[in-house]
Structure formats: C-alpha cells, structure tokens
Amino acid sequence: MEVFHRTQLAADLAKKILHVAPGSAAGSGLFLAAPRRTGKSTFLREDLRPELESAGALVVYVDLWKDKKADPGVVIVNAVRSELAKHESALKRLARNTGLEKVSVAGVGFNLQQVGLGDGVSLSDALAALSDEEKRPIALIIDEAQHAITSEMGSDALFALKAARDELNSSAHHGLRLVATGSNRDKLSMLRSSRDQAFFGAPLISFPPLGRDYVEWFCAGAGLAAPLDVDDTFTLFKEAANRPEILGAAADELRFDFELRPEEVRERFRAAVRKQIEESSQELLRVVHSLTPAQATVLRVLAGRGRGYAPFEAATLTAYGDVLKGLTGDPAAMLDVAQVQTALLALQEKALVWRAARGVYALEESSLADVMASHGMLDGVPGTQQRVERERERPA
C-alpha cells in the first residue's frame, strides 16, 4: 500500500523530541492530539519512528487501541518485555543489576515475566539496562495514550514510566523520551493537566492535520477516468474533517464504475465525498437513535457540556430533567443518580462514552457532539453555549 510521507514534519518533531532545550517542559514528555482517522497513527509508524531511529534512538511503539479489551498497563509492560527480548546483552545487564543471575531464560540468566509493575523488576530498571547497553536514548511512543487511565494498572504504568523517565534523563544514563498521542484532546489532557497525574505539565499540542500537499499527492495518484481538481478536492477534504479515508472511499466508488464518463468525474467525485461524509454521520446517529430516553438524555447533556460535564452535580441532575421532559413530554420526568449511573454504563458498552478510572467521563468520539448539534439534538440542553465558548477559546 502506497503511503503519503510527511518527512519534514517527522524530522522537525524528532529533533524537538530528542534535543530538549534547557528549561523546556518537553523533557516531561510530548503529547500530540489529533482526531481519529486523520492519519496520525500512519505518521507515527511510517515517518516519526524511522526518523527517530535514524537520529540514533531506540524506539518502542505501543498502540493502546489495537486491543481495547486488553488492560493498557499490561500492553505497556508487554511492549517493554518484547523489546528487551530482542537484546540479549541488555538482559544480561539487567540480570546482573537486579541480582537475578540464577533465573534462567534461554541461557541469558533472566526471566522477562519478572519485569512489570509492583513486585519484581521495575520498568525503570528494565529501560535503564536497555538504554545503557545500547548506549542511546529510548523513545517510547504510546498511541491512544488516554486509554491508559481507564484502568488502575494503566495509571500505575504511567507512574512507572515517569519514574523511568526521571532516572534515564539523569546524567548517569542516555535518556528516555515519551511521545503520547490521542484522538481526543480533552482526554489526553487528563494525563498532564493535574498534579496527581504522572506527566503533569508536559506540553500538549495539536498534531498538524494533513493539508494541501496530501491532496495534491492524492489527486496525482487517484487513477480515475479524468484528473481531479486540486482546489475543489482540498475544499472537500476540509469538509471531510481532513480524513483521508473519506476521499479514498469516494475514489473507489468511481474507480469501479466502468460506465463513468470522463466529463462526469469531478461532479460525481464531489457527490461521492459528500455521501461518505453523510454516511459516517448517519452511522453514529443510528446508535444514538437506538438509545432509551434515559441514555439519550445523559448523552445529550454530556455532549452539550463537554469539559464542564459533572455527571452527579445538582445542576446536572436538573439539566437531565429538563432534557428528559422535552424527549418524553412528561412534565414530571427526572433522573436520579442510580439511573444516571446505569445510563452511563450502557453508553460505555455502546462505545459512545469513555470513562477514566477516576470517574471522569467524555465522549468516545469527540466528533459526535458536532454531529448531534448539526441535527438539533443539543438544542435547549443547558450548558451547551458554554461548551461552544470553551471550544472557541481552546488553543490551536
């Protein structure tokens, strides 16, 4: 599969990640936010990882979205174990450093299952041995990192990585750089916006979306019966929220229409893109329309309030009542705390709502709020205007 490469962006980011300026908070880690399906993970695997490796770093890549049923803490630990298994000399060093020379694995004198959280060999010891034996910094990339705080073990893994970062970034070692990415800025910010989080104060930036250069590349290789207009396609790409799959699906629809005439290509492509956009919205709305009145009420209030959502506060319970009365026509309709808890659990099971281990809730797909608003589902929801104003004030 042919991939669009963002070489210059990868080089710029790699330099900033590996060469931290004096006094910069980037040594705490770098957090990159971008909506899902906008090319972020492809960039990490195809561009940033090779660039970091060519700059001398040993890269460990962890995707917490690959298996959503696996505990994120286990996924992180297994990624470190997997990398250690590739370096026999680092295993020997770790066995010596931790006094476990008598534990055997493949003649190396160490058992990888001893690396983990809590009892046994810490992630800090494991990563330090790996970095010291390789004599180069480690760049740990965690994709969809916000998923880590959905479990206690995931949160513990983040604090273990903080300890490893502090140790490896001392003058005695070669350094550890953490790159955490996520598809929801609000969720990702929870990992570094409060003092009780492992990476408090680390910079959070918006990952640059694919732009006109991507559209030019796409148009040049679209392989349709007639060339696409770059300006028109770029406008459509922005309508599609910079999602490559929308353009690709539209092109496929035309590519296999053997009766399509060249003079029809541009107009048909325009219609196909807008059809893909509408279908992606309708897929979300189909799930929303299947909800019970209580679930729909909680979802609307959460979507309307955004970062200001506090599920069990008195004002929020009043807002539930206002919305539920509008949905059911029952002037006495209300939700109590137990009903809200049940609704939130059901919304999680339907993959509409995400919950951090400490009880903070957010939409699973941040775009859902915009889709619901465009279909009038947030009209009259108390607090919606404050969400819009907060979004406008959000830094780019």
Side-chain angles (χ1 to χ4, degrees), residues 37-333:
R37 296 183 295 275
T38 56
K40 169 178 52 65
S41 295
T42 299
F43 170 79
L44 295 177
R45 293 190 300 266
E46 301 290 340
D47 294 315
L48 184 58
R49 179 173 190 163
E51 187 64 33
L52 287 167
E53 289 172 340
S54 67
L58 190 159
V59 180
V60 179
Y61 176 80
V62 185
D63 183 358
L64 297 186
W65 198 251
K66 187 174 182 180
D67 181 0
K68 290 185 286 184
K69 293 182 179 180
D71 190 289
V74 172
V75 176
I76 291 171
V77 169
N78 284 343
V80 175
R81 290 173 177 170
S82 178
E83 188 61 39
L84 270 172
K86 302 174 186 176
H87 303 271
E88 183 175 318
S89 57
L91 285 173
K92 290 179 179 178
R93 176 187 286 267
L94 187 55
R96 291 195 304 271
N97 292 348
T98 55
L100 294 171
E101 297 93 336
K102 295 180 181 179
V103 181
S104 177
V105 55
V108 173
F110 188 76
N111 187 341
L112 282 172
Q113 297 304 312
Q114 302 240 351
V115 175
L117 306 172
D119 296 336
V121 178
S122 70
L123 292 184
S124 183
D125 287 338
L127 290 169
L130 184 58
S131 177
D132 292 348
E133 194 62 33
E134 291 290 311
K135 296 182 172 55
R136 51 179 171 153
I138 294 173
L140 178 61
I141 300 174
I142 304 179
D143 201 4
E144 297 296 348
Q146 76 281 346
H147 196 50
I149 57 173
T150 61
S151 78
E152 292 298 333
M153 187 175 291
S155 295
D156 289 346
L158 292 182
F159 278 99
L161 291 176
K162 176 186 180 297
R165 178 206 67 193
D166 294 344
E167 173 63 27
L168 269 71
N169 286 347
S170 69
S171 58
H173 303 285
H174 297 274
L176 173 64
R177 301 289 186 264
L178 177 77
V179 182
T181 72
S183 55
N184 184 303
R185 189 184 181 97
D186 290 343
K187 295 183 203 174
L188 197 60
S189 69
M190 294 179 194
L191 279 68
R192 37 75 62 197
S193 60
S194 62
R195 293 186 179 276
D196 63 344
Q197 290 300 320
F199 295 93
F200 173 66
L204 170 61
I205 65 172
S206 295
F207 180 69
L210 290 164
R212 186 181 177 86
D213 54 347
Y214 168 77
V215 172
E216 291 172 350
W217 174 85
F218 172 82
C219 290
L224 300 178
L228 295 170
D229 180 78
V230 173
D231 290 334
D232 191 32
T233 303
F234 186 45
T235 299
L236 291 168
F237 188 51
K238 289 188 287 186
E239 287 182 28
N242 301 86
R243 290 176 289 172
E245 65 180 22
I246 297 291
L247 296 190
D252 283 343
E253 184 176 322
L254 271 61
R255 194 173 291 121
F256 294 101
D257 183 349
F258 300 107
E259 297 181 357
L260 180 66
R261 297 193 300 270
E263 64 270 21
E264 298 175 329
V265 166
R266 292 184 181 181
E267 186 59 39
R268 286 280 305 279
F269 181 74
R270 189 180 300 115
V273 168
R274 288 177 174 149
K275 173 187 170 187
Q276 290 293 328
I277 294 171
E278 180 62 23
E279 286 181 352
S280 67
S281 297
Q282 289 301 323
E283 186 61 33
L284 286 172
L285 290 175
R286 271 193 286 272
V287 182
V288 173
H289 287 311
S290 72
L291 301 177
T292 67
Q295 294 164 7
T297 294
V298 172
L299 183 67
R300 291 184 187 210
V301 174
L302 190 162
R305 297 200 164 193
R307 287 180 291 168
Y309 178 69
F312 308 116
E313 285 186 353
T316 310
L317 292 172
T318 300
Y320 294 142
D322 293 342
V323 173
L324 188 58
K325 288 169 188 173
L327 287 176
T328 64
D330 180 358

